[in-house]
Amino acid sequence: MVFVVIGAGMALGFSPTPTGALTNIRPEGAADASDVLVAVTQLGRLIGVAGFGTFCLNRLDSPGTQGSGEALWVGALALSAATVVGVSAGLVRRRRPTGSRQG
């Protein structure tokens, strides 16, 4: 059941992202924009795995399952906090400069 929820969340989060990012791109620039989007996405995943992996491994205070469980719990809390920050940042709308008109 947990994997169904995780899979549904990933599908809802990752599927609209490329579509939303590429909606305002002209057709002649679509290939370059898509390449940049893929590269930035992979770089973000790389940095996230390295950063949170290092954070989690540095929390290993004692050997065995107890230490691993505590480190995993701290890593999961840090990932949850980062998710909340990311979602909050995505919900903030950009303000239009004063005096600009939408026609």
Side-chain angles (χ1 to χ4, degrees):
M1 181 64 182
V2 173
F3 290 119
V4 171
V5 173
I6 291 172
M10 290 179 71
L12 291 172
F14 291 129
S15 296
T17 301
T19 305
L22 298 174
T23 53
N24 295 325
I25 303 296
R26 290 186 299 246
E28 59 270 9
D32 294 334
S34 176
D35 289 343
V36 169
L37 180 65
V38 168
V40 169
T41 301
Q42 289 179 347
L43 184 62
R45 289 177 183 167
L46 173 78
I47 292 170
V49 167
F52 284 106
T54 302
F55 179 76
C56 185
L57 290 175
N58 283 335
R59 300 296 300 171
L60 285 173
D61 293 334
S62 58
T65 58
Q66 183 68 26
S68 296
E70 289 175 6
L72 185 61
W73 180 245
V74 170
L77 289 175
L79 283 169
S80 298
T83 300
V84 169
V85 169
V87 167
S88 300
L91 294 176
V92 174
R93 294 196 178 262
R94 292 184 293 189
R95 293 184 184 205
R96 288 191 200 106
T98 55
S100 67
R101 301 180 106 178
Q102 190 173 12

